[in-house]
Amino acid sequence: MRPFLLALLAKEPAHGYELKQALEQTFGSAYPSPNIGQIYVTLGRLEKDGLVRAVDVEQSNRPNKKVYYLTAAGREALDDWVDEPTEGPRVRDEFFMKLVLAPMTGIADRMALINRQRRHYLALMRDLNELAERTDPDNQVALLLIEGAMLHLQADLDWLERCQEDLS
Amino acid sequence: MDTPPVISTVNLVKIYQDGGVPVPAVRGVDLRVEPGEFVAIMGPSGSGKSTLVHMLGGLDVRTSGEIWLDGDRADTLGESAWALLRRRKIGFVFQFFNLVANMTVADNVELPALLAGASPREARERREQLLGALGLADRAGAAPAQLAGGEQQRVALARALANRPRLLLADEPTGNLDSRNTRDVLKLLGQVHRDGQTIVLVTHDARVAGLADRVVSLLDGQIVDDGALPVSRRRPRGGVGDVVELRG
């Protein structure tokens, strides 16, 4: 979550709760909203590392609130995050390891493993279908995120089919 | 008395002849589909999915075994009796649409309802509703040849549903659609299924299969898996966010 908070703070200084709201508004239901505690813990670490700084802002009839802003080092860390290529597809897939290793020991049969995994993927797809249906049609960011997850899942299923053809 | 299954097959077999060489496509399938069920048939290409669904619609003749539709034996019917049965009970979405070229989109969709005895008004209303749901309301007056492949495919789905058939059979109904059009098709399939439509479709599109109650997997002409989709273990309230995160 560190780079996300840095990116939001690059836009404008904010306090913890505002950051939580900004994440929720941007990504909608497609992204798990972090709890406020996690956000404060992360902000604390960023502050310790010198990437953000906090100032106390007095409020009339409430305790002071901390407003965070990005430091020059924070800006640099954010630039690095944006510039570096993002990790591609995972080559080491846990299910694949299971598929290769389990039959060797006689623990499980490949066909049964593949069939169970297919049903599991499709159940996840059903959840994504439902999520897409519940999502505000104007929230393009959320819908694209869901579509990306669907495409990954489709690829996993296609791969599963290849495994079933060639290994069984 | 119990309602008979919409589909029941017994040891269904299809063997094609390829220059005198027998090529088995479906090798002993027992499939039972209850009223209101939505079954997705999946499997690699060449696994017999299309052949199976074509036999269920009487579009391909079985080599041996039995097909029962709504409790009546169907595999022994001749071509014209099958045509009548399809008109009365089955909506079929072909992989390559098969729209009537010299009729408008509207007429293509209304025709099955009219043949089945619906009044012109009923047929028109149903057509307007279906084309509207599929984002094709403004294409009603076009000829099929004027439509893009994805549009023709959606017209084929509208036509198959025009009649509120007892059984909807479809072969890759989203094969030619981009993701936006697929979303319209998913929505419509989900809706007619909730209204009780029995659906059996062949698909490799996981979004479509994810709508089904049950998935049948074929491999080399045989069923290797047949079962309901599990209720997912992680289903937080308020957002399925961690489903998305899962792939991270």
mmCIF file of all heavy atoms in Angstrom, chain B residues 144-195:
data_model
loop_
_atom_site.group_PDB
_atom_site.id
_atom_site.type_symbol
_atom_site.label_atom_id
_atom_site.label_comp_id
_atom_site.label_asym_id
_atom_site.label_seq_id
_atom_site.Cartn_x
_atom_site.Cartn_y
_atom_site.Cartn_z
ATOM 1 N N PRO B 144 -29.143 -8.915 -42.190
ATOM 2 C CA PRO B 144 -28.028 -9.554 -41.488
ATOM 3 C C PRO B 144 -26.669 -9.211 -42.087
ATOM 4 O O PRO B 144 -25.696 -9.009 -41.358
ATOM 5 C CB PRO B 144 -28.347 -11.042 -41.619
ATOM 6 C CG PRO B 144 -29.830 -11.093 -41.673
ATOM 7 C CD PRO B 144 -30.252 -9.859 -42.437
ATOM 8 N N ALA B 145 -26.596 -9.130 -43.430
ATOM 9 C CA ALA B 145 -25.297 -8.891 -44.067
ATOM 10 C C ALA B 145 -24.724 -7.519 -43.712
ATOM 11 O O ALA B 145 -23.520 -7.293 -43.842
ATOM 12 C CB ALA B 145 -25.426 -9.026 -45.582
ATOM 13 N N GLN B 146 -25.596 -6.613 -43.270
ATOM 14 C CA GLN B 146 -25.108 -5.278 -42.908
ATOM 15 C C GLN B 146 -24.533 -5.236 -41.494
ATOM 16 O O GLN B 146 -24.024 -4.216 -41.060
ATOM 17 C CB GLN B 146 -26.258 -4.258 -42.984
ATOM 18 C CG GLN B 146 -26.795 -4.048 -44.382
ATOM 19 C CD GLN B 146 -28.053 -3.197 -44.369
ATOM 20 O OE1 GLN B 146 -29.124 -3.650 -43.965
ATOM 21 N NE2 GLN B 146 -27.911 -1.940 -44.770
ATOM 22 N N LEU B 147 -24.679 -6.347 -40.764
ATOM 23 C CA LEU B 147 -24.250 -6.351 -39.364
ATOM 24 C C LEU B 147 -22.842 -6.923 -39.216
ATOM 25 O O LEU B 147 -22.425 -7.777 -39.994
ATOM 26 C CB LEU B 147 -25.194 -7.210 -38.519
ATOM 27 C CG LEU B 147 -26.674 -6.866 -38.529
ATOM 28 C CD1 LEU B 147 -27.407 -7.770 -37.552
ATOM 29 C CD2 LEU B 147 -26.908 -5.416 -38.167
ATOM 30 N N ALA B 148 -22.152 -6.460 -38.199
ATOM 31 C CA ALA B 148 -20.870 -7.061 -37.827
ATOM 32 C C ALA B 148 -21.129 -8.442 -37.202
ATOM 33 O O ALA B 148 -22.248 -8.739 -36.778
ATOM 34 C CB ALA B 148 -20.157 -6.164 -36.821
ATOM 35 N N GLY B 149 -20.080 -9.264 -37.146
ATOM 36 C CA GLY B 149 -20.235 -10.622 -36.626
ATOM 37 C C GLY B 149 -20.829 -10.654 -35.222
ATOM 38 O O GLY B 149 -21.714 -11.457 -34.926
ATOM 39 N N GLY B 150 -20.356 -9.761 -34.364
ATOM 40 C CA GLY B 150 -20.849 -9.739 -32.990
ATOM 41 C C GLY B 150 -22.321 -9.359 -32.918
ATOM 42 O O GLY B 150 -23.055 -9.843 -32.060
ATOM 43 N N GLU B 151 -22.750 -8.496 -33.855
ATOM 44 C CA GLU B 151 -24.163 -8.117 -33.879
ATOM 45 C C GLU B 151 -25.015 -9.294 -34.352
ATOM 46 O O GLU B 151 -26.080 -9.573 -33.793
ATOM 47 C CB GLU B 151 -24.363 -6.907 -34.802
ATOM 48 C CG GLU B 151 -23.759 -5.628 -34.234
ATOM 49 C CD GLU B 151 -23.867 -4.453 -35.203
ATOM 50 O OE1 GLU B 151 -23.650 -4.653 -36.421
ATOM 51 O OE2 GLU B 151 -24.175 -3.354 -34.753
ATOM 52 N N GLN B 152 -24.530 -9.985 -35.376
ATOM 53 C CA GLN B 152 -25.286 -11.143 -35.871
ATOM 54 C C GLN B 152 -25.437 -12.195 -34.776
ATOM 55 O O GLN B 152 -26.471 -12.830 -34.644
ATOM 56 C CB GLN B 152 -24.567 -11.772 -37.067
ATOM 57 C CG GLN B 152 -24.540 -10.863 -38.275
ATOM 58 C CD GLN B 152 -24.115 -11.612 -39.531
ATOM 59 O OE1 GLN B 152 -24.522 -12.737 -39.763
ATOM 60 N NE2 GLN B 152 -23.288 -10.983 -40.340
ATOM 61 N N GLN B 153 -24.371 -12.350 -33.992
ATOM 62 C CA GLN B 153 -24.433 -13.344 -32.938
ATOM 63 C C GLN B 153 -25.488 -12.993 -31.890
ATOM 64 O O GLN B 153 -26.213 -13.854 -31.396
ATOM 65 C CB GLN B 153 -23.069 -13.468 -32.272
ATOM 66 C CG GLN B 153 -22.997 -14.641 -31.331
ATOM 67 C CD GLN B 153 -21.577 -15.089 -31.106
ATOM 68 O OE1 GLN B 153 -20.688 -14.269 -30.940
ATOM 69 N NE2 GLN B 153 -21.348 -16.382 -31.098
ATOM 70 N N ARG B 154 -25.581 -11.707 -31.585
ATOM 71 C CA ARG B 154 -26.592 -11.302 -30.606
ATOM 72 C C ARG B 154 -28.005 -11.434 -31.177
ATOM 73 O O ARG B 154 -28.944 -11.788 -30.462
ATOM 74 C CB ARG B 154 -26.319 -9.880 -30.122
ATOM 75 C CG ARG B 154 -25.196 -9.844 -29.082
ATOM 76 C CD ARG B 154 -24.820 -8.441 -28.688
ATOM 77 N NE ARG B 154 -24.099 -7.791 -29.776
ATOM 78 C CZ ARG B 154 -24.092 -6.481 -29.988
ATOM 79 N NH1 ARG B 154 -24.758 -5.685 -29.197
ATOM 80 N NH2 ARG B 154 -23.422 -5.977 -30.994
ATOM 81 N N VAL B 155 -28.153 -11.149 -32.495
ATOM 82 C CA VAL B 155 -29.460 -11.360 -33.127
ATOM 83 C C VAL B 155 -29.839 -12.842 -33.039
ATOM 84 O O VAL B 155 -30.987 -13.187 -32.752
ATOM 85 C CB VAL B 155 -29.444 -10.895 -34.607
ATOM 86 C CG1 VAL B 155 -30.750 -11.285 -35.298
ATOM 87 C CG2 VAL B 155 -29.224 -9.390 -34.685
ATOM 88 N N ALA B 156 -28.849 -13.706 -33.253
ATOM 89 C CA ALA B 156 -29.135 -15.148 -33.184
ATOM 90 C C ALA B 156 -29.623 -15.540 -31.793
ATOM 91 O O ALA B 156 -30.514 -16.382 -31.645
ATOM 92 C CB ALA B 156 -27.887 -15.939 -33.559
ATOM 93 N N LEU B 157 -29.059 -14.902 -30.766
ATOM 94 C CA LEU B 157 -29.507 -15.201 -29.397
ATOM 95 C C LEU B 157 -30.935 -14.692 -29.185
ATOM 96 O O LEU B 157 -31.777 -15.386 -28.608
ATOM 97 C CB LEU B 157 -28.552 -14.566 -28.376
ATOM 98 C CG LEU B 157 -28.949 -14.732 -26.916
ATOM 99 C CD1 LEU B 157 -28.998 -16.214 -26.515
ATOM 100 C CD2 LEU B 157 -27.993 -13.983 -25.990
ATOM 101 N N ALA B 158 -31.202 -13.483 -29.677
ATOM 102 C CA ALA B 158 -32.556 -12.930 -29.552
ATOM 103 C C ALA B 158 -33.552 -13.851 -30.247
ATOM 104 O O ALA B 158 -34.629 -14.149 -29.717
ATOM 105 C CB ALA B 158 -32.609 -11.521 -30.148
ATOM 106 N N ARG B 159 -33.193 -14.314 -31.443
ATOM 107 C CA ARG B 159 -34.090 -15.201 -32.185
ATOM 108 C C ARG B 159 -34.349 -16.488 -31.403
ATOM 109 O O ARG B 159 -35.482 -16.956 -31.310
ATOM 110 C CB ARG B 159 -33.473 -15.540 -33.543
ATOM 111 C CG ARG B 159 -34.333 -16.512 -34.345
ATOM 112 C CD ARG B 159 -33.669 -16.917 -35.637
ATOM 113 N NE ARG B 159 -32.380 -17.532 -35.419
ATOM 114 C CZ ARG B 159 -31.573 -17.946 -36.381
ATOM 115 N NH1 ARG B 159 -31.918 -17.773 -37.642
ATOM 116 N NH2 ARG B 159 -30.418 -18.503 -36.109
ATOM 117 N N ALA B 160 -33.293 -17.027 -30.803
ATOM 118 C CA ALA B 160 -33.446 -18.284 -30.079
ATOM 119 C C ALA B 160 -34.350 -18.130 -28.855
ATOM 120 O O ALA B 160 -35.002 -19.076 -28.435
ATOM 121 C CB ALA B 160 -32.079 -18.813 -29.658
ATOM 122 N N LEU B 161 -34.381 -16.918 -28.300
ATOM 123 C CA LEU B 161 -35.176 -16.707 -27.091
ATOM 124 C C LEU B 161 -36.575 -16.167 -27.390
ATOM 125 O O LEU B 161 -37.425 -16.107 -26.493
ATOM 126 C CB LEU B 161 -34.453 -15.734 -26.147
ATOM 127 C CG LEU B 161 -33.216 -16.291 -25.442
ATOM 128 C CD1 LEU B 161 -32.432 -15.170 -24.768
ATOM 129 C CD2 LEU B 161 -33.635 -17.341 -24.406
ATOM 130 N N ALA B 162 -36.817 -15.798 -28.646
ATOM 131 C CA ALA B 162 -38.065 -15.107 -29.006
ATOM 132 C C ALA B 162 -39.282 -15.907 -28.580
ATOM 133 O O ALA B 162 -40.306 -15.381 -28.169
ATOM 134 C CB ALA B 162 -38.094 -14.855 -30.505
ATOM 135 N N ASN B 163 -39.112 -17.190 -28.694
ATOM 136 C CA ASN B 163 -40.193 -18.125 -28.489
ATOM 137 C C ASN B 163 -40.385 -18.546 -27.045
ATOM 138 O O ASN B 163 -41.220 -19.377 -26.768
ATOM 139 C CB ASN B 163 -39.748 -19.357 -29.294
ATOM 140 C CG ASN B 163 -40.887 -20.031 -29.908
ATOM 141 O OD1 ASN B 163 -41.989 -19.533 -29.806
ATOM 142 N ND2 ASN B 163 -40.626 -21.175 -30.518
ATOM 143 N N ARG B 164 -39.589 -18.020 -26.133
ATOM 144 C CA ARG B 164 -39.503 -18.540 -24.763
ATOM 145 C C ARG B 164 -39.447 -20.061 -24.811
ATOM 146 O O ARG B 164 -40.352 -20.763 -24.314
ATOM 147 C CB ARG B 164 -40.697 -18.101 -23.925
ATOM 148 C CG ARG B 164 -40.833 -16.603 -23.813
ATOM 149 C CD ARG B 164 -42.092 -16.248 -23.035
ATOM 150 N NE ARG B 164 -42.499 -14.881 -23.296
ATOM 151 C CZ ARG B 164 -41.977 -13.818 -22.683
ATOM 152 N NH1 ARG B 164 -41.069 -13.968 -21.768
ATOM 153 N NH2 ARG B 164 -42.383 -12.605 -23.002
ATOM 154 N N PRO B 165 -38.390 -20.617 -25.437
ATOM 155 C CA PRO B 165 -38.365 -22.066 -25.662
ATOM 156 C C PRO B 165 -38.231 -22.833 -24.350
ATOM 157 O O PRO B 165 -37.744 -22.309 -23.362
ATOM 158 C CB PRO B 165 -37.127 -22.263 -26.532
ATOM 159 C CG PRO B 165 -36.225 -21.134 -26.147
ATOM 160 C CD PRO B 165 -37.134 -19.979 -25.863
ATOM 161 N N ARG B 166 -38.670 -24.047 -24.398
ATOM 162 C CA ARG B 166 -38.513 -24.934 -23.242
ATOM 163 C C ARG B 166 -37.020 -25.115 -22.946
ATOM 164 O O ARG B 166 -36.605 -25.221 -21.810
ATOM 165 C CB ARG B 166 -39.156 -26.279 -23.612
ATOM 166 C CG ARG B 166 -39.013 -27.348 -22.577
ATOM 167 C CD ARG B 166 -40.133 -27.261 -21.588
ATOM 168 N NE ARG B 166 -40.058 -28.386 -20.672
ATOM 169 C CZ ARG B 166 -40.072 -28.244 -19.357
ATOM 170 N NH1 ARG B 166 -40.169 -27.031 -18.828
ATOM 171 N NH2 ARG B 166 -40.011 -29.290 -18.581
ATOM 172 N N LEU B 167 -36.217 -25.137 -24.005
ATOM 173 C CA LEU B 167 -34.797 -25.399 -23.868
ATOM 174 C C LEU B 167 -34.002 -24.466 -24.783
ATOM 175 O O LEU B 167 -34.305 -24.365 -25.967
ATOM 176 C CB LEU B 167 -34.511 -26.865 -24.269
ATOM 177 C CG LEU B 167 -33.046 -27.301 -24.394
ATOM 178 C CD1 LEU B 167 -32.346 -27.220 -23.055
ATOM 179 C CD2 LEU B 167 -32.986 -28.728 -24.951
ATOM 180 N N LEU B 168 -33.016 -23.792 -24.197
ATOM 181 C CA LEU B 168 -32.100 -22.983 -25.015
ATOM 182 C C LEU B 168 -30.786 -23.745 -25.158
ATOM 183 O O LEU B 168 -30.149 -24.090 -24.169
ATOM 184 C CB LEU B 168 -31.832 -21.632 -24.345
ATOM 185 C CG LEU B 168 -30.809 -20.730 -25.080
ATOM 186 C CD1 LEU B 168 -31.353 -20.249 -26.415
ATOM 187 C CD2 LEU B 168 -30.412 -19.540 -24.209
ATOM 188 N N LEU B 169 -30.419 -24.021 -26.418
ATOM 189 C CA LEU B 169 -29.137 -24.663 -26.696
ATOM 190 C C LEU B 169 -28.261 -23.649 -27.419
ATOM 191 O O LEU B 169 -28.735 -22.957 -28.323
ATOM 192 C CB LEU B 169 -29.332 -25.880 -27.612
ATOM 193 C CG LEU B 169 -30.105 -27.072 -27.060
ATOM 194 C CD1 LEU B 169 -30.375 -28.082 -28.171
ATOM 195 C CD2 LEU B 169 -29.327 -27.735 -25.929
ATOM 196 N N ALA B 170 -27.005 -23.545 -27.015
ATOM 197 C CA ALA B 170 -26.149 -22.559 -27.674
ATOM 198 C C ALA B 170 -24.734 -23.102 -27.796
ATOM 199 O O ALA B 170 -24.236 -23.797 -26.914
ATOM 200 C CB ALA B 170 -26.151 -21.253 -26.887
ATOM 201 N N ASP B 171 -24.124 -22.764 -28.925
ATOM 202 C CA ASP B 171 -22.756 -23.203 -29.197
ATOM 203 C C ASP B 171 -21.870 -21.963 -29.247
ATOM 204 O O ASP B 171 -21.956 -21.192 -30.193
ATOM 205 C CB ASP B 171 -22.739 -23.951 -30.543
ATOM 206 C CG ASP B 171 -21.423 -24.682 -30.760
ATOM 207 O OD1 ASP B 171 -20.547 -24.622 -29.882
ATOM 208 O OD2 ASP B 171 -21.285 -25.314 -31.823
ATOM 209 N N GLU B 172 -21.081 -21.742 -28.231
ATOM 210 C CA GLU B 172 -20.198 -20.566 -28.124
ATOM 211 C C GLU B 172 -20.939 -19.250 -28.399
ATOM 212 O O GLU B 172 -20.596 -18.519 -29.330
ATOM 213 C CB GLU B 172 -19.018 -20.691 -29.095
ATOM 214 C CG GLU B 172 -18.090 -21.856 -28.824
ATOM 215 C CD GLU B 172 -17.203 -21.674 -27.602
ATOM 216 O OE1 GLU B 172 -17.355 -20.661 -26.884
ATOM 217 O OE2 GLU B 172 -16.368 -22.559 -27.350
ATOM 218 N N PRO B 173 -21.934 -18.922 -27.589
ATOM 219 C CA PRO B 173 -22.757 -17.745 -27.907
ATOM 220 C C PRO B 173 -22.030 -16.411 -27.742
ATOM 221 O O PRO B 173 -22.564 -15.385 -28.150
ATOM 222 C CB PRO B 173 -23.919 -17.851 -26.913
ATOM 223 C CG PRO B 173 -23.361 -18.616 -25.771
ATOM 224 C CD PRO B 173 -22.375 -19.593 -26.372
ATOM 225 N N THR B 174 -20.824 -16.415 -27.174
ATOM 226 C CA THR B 174 -20.097 -15.142 -27.063
ATOM 227 C C THR B 174 -18.790 -15.191 -27.850
ATOM 228 O O THR B 174 -17.938 -14.324 -27.697
ATOM 229 C CB THR B 174 -19.771 -14.813 -25.591
ATOM 230 O OG1 THR B 174 -19.017 -15.891 -25.035
ATOM 231 C CG2 THR B 174 -21.024 -14.610 -24.774
ATOM 232 N N GLY B 175 -18.660 -16.191 -28.720
ATOM 233 C CA GLY B 175 -17.400 -16.399 -29.432
ATOM 234 C C GLY B 175 -16.942 -15.223 -30.271
ATOM 235 O O GLY B 175 -15.764 -15.077 -30.530
ATOM 236 N N ASN B 176 -17.873 -14.381 -30.717
ATOM 237 C CA ASN B 176 -17.493 -13.281 -31.596
ATOM 238 C C ASN B 176 -17.684 -11.909 -30.953
ATOM 239 O O ASN B 176 -17.718 -10.901 -31.647
ATOM 240 C CB ASN B 176 -18.328 -13.319 -32.876
ATOM 241 C CG ASN B 176 -17.993 -14.527 -33.709
ATOM 242 O OD1 ASN B 176 -17.041 -14.514 -34.467
ATOM 243 N ND2 ASN B 176 -18.745 -15.599 -33.524
ATOM 244 N N LEU B 177 -17.843 -11.892 -29.641
ATOM 245 C CA LEU B 177 -18.209 -10.627 -29.004
ATOM 246 C C LEU B 177 -17.030 -9.991 -28.278
ATOM 247 O O LEU B 177 -16.196 -10.676 -27.710
ATOM 248 C CB LEU B 177 -19.336 -10.860 -27.992
ATOM 249 C CG LEU B 177 -20.610 -11.478 -28.552
ATOM 250 C CD1 LEU B 177 -21.653 -11.575 -27.453
ATOM 251 C CD2 LEU B 177 -21.146 -10.658 -29.710
ATOM 252 N N ASP B 178 -16.995 -8.675 -28.285
ATOM 253 C CA ASP B 178 -16.029 -7.987 -27.430
ATOM 254 C C ASP B 178 -16.605 -7.943 -26.015
ATOM 255 O O ASP B 178 -17.735 -8.370 -25.771
ATOM 256 C CB ASP B 178 -15.701 -6.592 -27.973
ATOM 257 C CG ASP B 178 -16.916 -5.681 -27.995
ATOM 258 O OD1 ASP B 178 -17.870 -5.914 -27.218
ATOM 259 O OD2 ASP B 178 -16.918 -4.726 -28.788
ATOM 260 N N SER B 179 -15.804 -7.434 -25.089
ATOM 261 C CA SER B 179 -16.213 -7.612 -23.690
ATOM 262 C C SER B 179 -17.477 -6.820 -23.348
ATOM 263 O O SER B 179 -18.276 -7.247 -22.541
ATOM 264 C CB SER B 179 -15.072 -7.235 -22.759
ATOM 265 O OG SER B 179 -14.802 -5.861 -22.875
ATOM 266 N N ARG B 180 -17.688 -5.689 -23.997
ATOM 267 C CA ARG B 180 -18.896 -4.910 -23.683
ATOM 268 C C ARG B 180 -20.147 -5.654 -24.132
ATOM 269 O O ARG B 180 -21.124 -5.754 -23.407
ATOM 270 C CB ARG B 180 -18.810 -3.546 -24.361
ATOM 271 C CG ARG B 180 -19.916 -2.612 -23.949
ATOM 272 C CD ARG B 180 -19.547 -1.199 -24.272
ATOM 273 N NE ARG B 180 -18.131 -0.948 -23.934
ATOM 274 C CZ ARG B 180 -17.505 0.183 -24.202
ATOM 275 N NH1 ARG B 180 -18.129 1.152 -24.806
ATOM 276 N NH2 ARG B 180 -16.242 0.349 -23.870
ATOM 277 N N ASN B 181 -20.092 -6.205 -25.363
ATOM 278 C CA ASN B 181 -21.249 -6.945 -25.855
ATOM 279 C C ASN B 181 -21.456 -8.230 -25.076
ATOM 280 O O ASN B 181 -22.583 -8.664 -24.858
ATOM 281 C CB ASN B 181 -21.087 -7.246 -27.340
ATOM 282 C CG ASN B 181 -21.089 -5.979 -28.165
ATOM 283 O OD1 ASN B 181 -21.715 -4.990 -27.789
ATOM 284 N ND2 ASN B 181 -20.367 -5.982 -29.267
ATOM 285 N N THR B 182 -20.353 -8.822 -24.653
ATOM 286 C CA THR B 182 -20.473 -10.021 -23.831
ATOM 287 C C THR B 182 -21.240 -9.693 -22.551
ATOM 288 O O THR B 182 -22.073 -10.468 -22.097
ATOM 289 C CB THR B 182 -19.082 -10.579 -23.480
ATOM 290 O OG1 THR B 182 -18.452 -11.004 -24.689
ATOM 291 C CG2 THR B 182 -19.185 -11.768 -22.546
ATOM 292 N N ARG B 183 -20.975 -8.518 -22.001
ATOM 293 C CA ARG B 183 -21.658 -8.125 -20.773
ATOM 294 C C ARG B 183 -23.186 -8.093 -20.983
ATOM 295 O O ARG B 183 -23.944 -8.547 -20.133
ATOM 296 C CB ARG B 183 -21.164 -6.739 -20.334
ATOM 297 C CG ARG B 183 -20.893 -6.633 -18.863
ATOM 298 C CD ARG B 183 -20.374 -5.251 -18.497
ATOM 299 N NE ARG B 183 -18.966 -5.067 -18.831
ATOM 300 C CZ ARG B 183 -18.370 -3.860 -18.898
ATOM 301 N NH1 ARG B 183 -19.035 -2.760 -18.645
ATOM 302 N NH2 ARG B 183 -17.097 -3.769 -19.198
ATOM 303 N N ASP B 184 -23.636 -7.573 -22.137
ATOM 304 C CA ASP B 184 -25.077 -7.555 -22.428
ATOM 305 C C ASP B 184 -25.629 -8.972 -22.522
ATOM 306 O O ASP B 184 -26.717 -9.268 -22.018
ATOM 307 C CB ASP B 184 -25.351 -6.842 -23.761
ATOM 308 C CG ASP B 184 -25.120 -5.332 -23.662
ATOM 309 O OD1 ASP B 184 -25.150 -4.808 -22.528
ATOM 310 O OD2 ASP B 184 -24.910 -4.697 -24.712
ATOM 311 N N VAL B 185 -24.861 -9.840 -23.183
ATOM 312 C CA VAL B 185 -25.319 -11.223 -23.346
ATOM 313 C C VAL B 185 -25.385 -11.927 -21.990
ATOM 314 O O VAL B 185 -26.347 -12.637 -21.683
ATOM 315 C CB VAL B 185 -24.395 -11.988 -24.320
ATOM 316 C CG1 VAL B 185 -24.659 -13.486 -24.266
ATOM 317 C CG2 VAL B 185 -24.601 -11.473 -25.739
ATOM 318 N N LEU B 186 -24.373 -11.692 -21.150
ATOM 319 C CA LEU B 186 -24.362 -12.307 -19.816
ATOM 320 C C LEU B 186 -25.573 -11.868 -19.023
ATOM 321 O O LEU B 186 -26.223 -12.662 -18.339
ATOM 322 C CB LEU B 186 -23.097 -11.906 -19.052
ATOM 323 C CG LEU B 186 -21.767 -12.428 -19.584
ATOM 324 C CD1 LEU B 186 -20.622 -11.880 -18.738
ATOM 325 C CD2 LEU B 186 -21.735 -13.937 -19.571
ATOM 326 N N LYS B 187 -25.855 -10.579 -19.120
ATOM 327 C CA LYS B 187 -26.972 -10.039 -18.351
ATOM 328 C C LYS B 187 -28.281 -10.693 -18.791
ATOM 329 O O LYS B 187 -29.096 -11.103 -17.971
ATOM 330 C CB LYS B 187 -27.031 -8.516 -18.580
ATOM 331 C CG LYS B 187 -27.680 -7.764 -17.445
ATOM 332 C CD LYS B 187 -27.813 -6.300 -17.772
ATOM 333 C CE LYS B 187 -26.800 -5.435 -17.061
ATOM 334 N NZ LYS B 187 -26.933 -4.020 -17.460
ATOM 335 N N LEU B 188 -28.453 -10.801 -20.113
ATOM 336 C CA LEU B 188 -29.692 -11.389 -20.632
ATOM 337 C C LEU B 188 -29.801 -12.873 -20.259
ATOM 338 O O LEU B 188 -30.861 -13.341 -19.831
ATOM 339 C CB LEU B 188 -29.758 -11.215 -22.154
ATOM 340 C CG LEU B 188 -31.030 -11.751 -22.818
ATOM 341 C CD1 LEU B 188 -32.279 -11.028 -22.315
ATOM 342 C CD2 LEU B 188 -30.946 -11.629 -24.341
ATOM 343 N N LEU B 189 -28.696 -13.604 -20.384
ATOM 344 C CA LEU B 189 -28.734 -15.025 -20.023
ATOM 345 C C LEU B 189 -29.074 -15.189 -18.545
ATOM 346 O O LEU B 189 -29.877 -16.045 -18.170
ATOM 347 C CB LEU B 189 -27.388 -15.695 -20.328
ATOM 348 C CG LEU B 189 -27.069 -15.970 -21.802
ATOM 349 C CD1 LEU B 189 -25.649 -16.505 -21.941
ATOM 350 C CD2 LEU B 189 -28.066 -16.955 -22.413
ATOM 351 N N GLY B 190 -28.446 -14.357 -17.715
ATOM 352 C CA GLY B 190 -28.715 -14.425 -16.282
ATOM 353 C C GLY B 190 -30.180 -14.144 -15.985
ATOM 354 O O GLY B 190 -30.807 -14.824 -15.158
ATOM 355 N N GLN B 191 -30.709 -13.174 -16.698
ATOM 356 C CA GLN B 191 -32.096 -12.775 -16.472
ATOM 357 C C GLN B 191 -33.083 -13.861 -16.893
ATOM 358 O O GLN B 191 -33.975 -14.219 -16.135
ATOM 359 C CB GLN B 191 -32.326 -11.506 -17.291
ATOM 360 C CG GLN B 191 -33.589 -10.751 -17.015
ATOM 361 C CD GLN B 191 -33.683 -9.595 -18.010
ATOM 362 O OE1 GLN B 191 -32.684 -8.893 -18.296
ATOM 363 N NE2 GLN B 191 -34.850 -9.416 -18.573
ATOM 364 N N VAL B 192 -32.912 -14.423 -18.098
ATOM 365 C CA VAL B 192 -33.864 -15.460 -18.531
ATOM 366 C C VAL B 192 -33.703 -16.722 -17.669
ATOM 367 O O VAL B 192 -34.684 -17.410 -17.395
ATOM 368 C CB VAL B 192 -33.749 -15.809 -20.041
ATOM 369 C CG1 VAL B 192 -34.112 -14.613 -20.897
ATOM 370 C CG2 VAL B 192 -32.393 -16.352 -20.402
ATOM 371 N N HIS B 193 -32.486 -16.974 -17.217
ATOM 372 C CA HIS B 193 -32.289 -18.125 -16.337
ATOM 373 C C HIS B 193 -33.024 -17.922 -15.013
ATOM 374 O O HIS B 193 -33.677 -18.835 -14.508
ATOM 375 C CB HIS B 193 -30.795 -18.346 -16.094
ATOM 376 C CG HIS B 193 -30.503 -19.446 -15.124
ATOM 377 N ND1 HIS B 193 -31.111 -20.675 -15.196
ATOM 378 C CD2 HIS B 193 -29.691 -19.505 -14.044
ATOM 379 C CE1 HIS B 193 -30.679 -21.433 -14.206
ATOM 380 N NE2 HIS B 193 -29.826 -20.745 -13.493
ATOM 381 N N ARG B 194 -32.932 -16.711 -14.467
ATOM 382 C CA ARG B 194 -33.664 -16.442 -13.222
ATOM 383 C C ARG B 194 -35.169 -16.583 -13.421
ATOM 384 O O ARG B 194 -35.905 -16.940 -12.508
ATOM 385 C CB ARG B 194 -33.346 -15.029 -12.696
ATOM 386 C CG ARG B 194 -32.062 -14.963 -11.903
ATOM 387 C CD ARG B 194 -31.929 -13.630 -11.165
ATOM 388 N NE ARG B 194 -31.810 -12.506 -12.079
ATOM 389 C CZ ARG B 194 -30.666 -12.120 -12.646
ATOM 390 N NH1 ARG B 194 -29.556 -12.743 -12.381
ATOM 391 N NH2 ARG B 194 -30.647 -11.093 -13.480
ATOM 392 N N ASP B 195 -35.634 -16.303 -14.656
ATOM 393 C CA ASP B 195 -37.055 -16.475 -14.963
ATOM 394 C C ASP B 195 -37.414 -17.932 -15.234
ATOM 395 O O ASP B 195 -38.542 -18.223 -15.635
ATOM 396 C CB ASP B 195 -37.444 -15.634 -16.187
ATOM 397 C CG ASP B 195 -37.347 -14.136 -15.897
ATOM 398 O OD1 ASP B 195 -37.278 -13.771 -14.704
ATOM 399 O OD2 ASP B 195 -37.331 -13.342 -16.856
#
